[in-house]
Amino acid sequence: MPGWLRFAAAPTFALMGGISAVSSPGMIICTSAMPWSPINDMALMYLLMAIFHLSPWLTLVSARFPR
């Protein structure tokens, strides 16, 4: 895997989560989320995936700012 490819996952998932959060709620086929919830289940999944893929970014930031 190229070195730069590991940095693509977190921003991509964050963008997809943002798009899912503002998309129409009529696109939901099967959901376990409550109807009053401000975020749908797909947006939550994408945002969690973005958080889990932040490690290359955190490593890069910690290398640039040593203690």
Side-chain angles (χ1 to χ4, degrees), residues 41-64:
D41 53 347
M42 289 301 290
L44 180 62
M45 179 198 67
Y46 285 134
L47 293 175
L48 285 173
M49 289 173 70
I51 290 170
F52 291 142
H53 286 89
L54 273 178
S55 63
W57 288 101
L58 295 175
T59 304
L60 180 68
V61 169
S62 67
R64 295 216 28 165

Side-chain angles (χ1 to χ4, degrees), residues 17-37:
I19 291 171
S20 291
V22 297
S23 69
S24 68
M27 293 175 49
I28 299 173
I29 294 172
C30 178
T31 182
S32 61
M34 300 295 169
W36 47 266
S37 177

